Amino acid sequence: WWLMARAFDRIRRFRWPDLVGIGQAAVVLCRVAFGIRWSSFPDLLDELRLRDKVPDADEACVDRAAQLVRWAHQLLPLAPNCLLDSLAAAALVRKRGFSVPLIIGVHRETGVLQAHAWLGHSTQESIREFQILYSSHEETPTDQQVRETRPRP
């Protein structure tokens, strides 16, 4: 009973649009988590329609999507990570008819290779710190081109 009362207290602080957005974010998070495990990355991007050419979102739209994803994480037994969160927030932005650059980069710090995913345009600071492996707003090879350049056994 105590846990239910506490949950209702937390829910009461939200307005109806927040609750709807949290529900949408929770569904998208589950969809992305499943897609990361069971689909190829290009297929997941296509399923989420993140490669579609649509207008860029403003910063407020992206911040709102990221906030909804953070709130939805509190409801789900999914460990937050930057790739899952970035893909889910980008998918929420896309559902609103806009796009945001998804960037994946790596860097080596004291002999340890680290990767990070984030939303937004590459800044000079991120370019210095990370080697950009993928950016959704830059030309990337198609799956067919990748297959053609792979050495055959």
Side-chain angles (χ1 to χ4, degrees):
W1 166 251
W2 176 78
L3 287 175
M4 290 287 287
R6 192 170 145 203
F8 283 123
D9 284 341
R10 290 171 81 187
I11 288 173
R12 272 193 266 164
R13 71 179 177 172
F14 293 111
R15 298 169 306 158
W16 182 249
D18 293 333
L19 293 173
V20 170
I22 292 168
Q24 289 174 342
V27 169
V28 169
L29 271 169
C30 292
R31 185 174 170 198
V32 169
F34 183 80
I36 286 173
R37 292 203 182 270
W38 300 105
S39 297
S40 69
F41 190 69
D43 289 345
L44 179 60
L45 293 177
D46 289 341
E47 181 184 331
L48 298 173
R49 299 179 51 213
L50 296 183
R51 295 192 209 195
D52 293 356
K53 301 291 183 204
V54 293
D56 284 344
D58 62 7
E59 192 173 329
C61 180
V62 176
D63 290 344
R64 172 74 174 156
Q67 181 64 52
L68 291 171
V69 167
R70 284 191 296 275
W71 285 337
H73 263 297
Q74 296 176 8
L75 302 173
L76 299 171
L78 294 171
N81 72 59
C82 58
L83 182 60
L84 175 65
D85 294 351
S86 295
L87 283 167
L92 285 177
V93 169
R94 181 62 192 91
K95 279 177 152 290
R96 286 164 178 73
F98 299 101
S99 69
V100 61
L102 170 69
I103 302 167
I104 301 172
V106 296
H107 77 102
R108 184 181 299 246
E109 186 175 303
T110 63
V112 176
L113 186 65
Q114 295 180 340
H116 186 54
W118 65 95
L119 297 177
H121 294 282
S122 297
T123 62
Q124 288 300 325
E125 182 179 313
S126 66
I127 290 172
R128 258 185 273 121
E129 190 172 338
F130 289 92
Q131 178 183 353
I132 307 300
L133 297 179
Y134 174 82
S135 176
S136 62
H137 276 43
E138 293 177 10
E139 286 298 316
T140 56
T142 64
D143 295 339
Q144 183 64 33
Q145 290 169 329
V146 169
R147 277 190 221 97
E148 289 172 357
T149 58
R150 285 186 185 154
R152 295 178 190 244

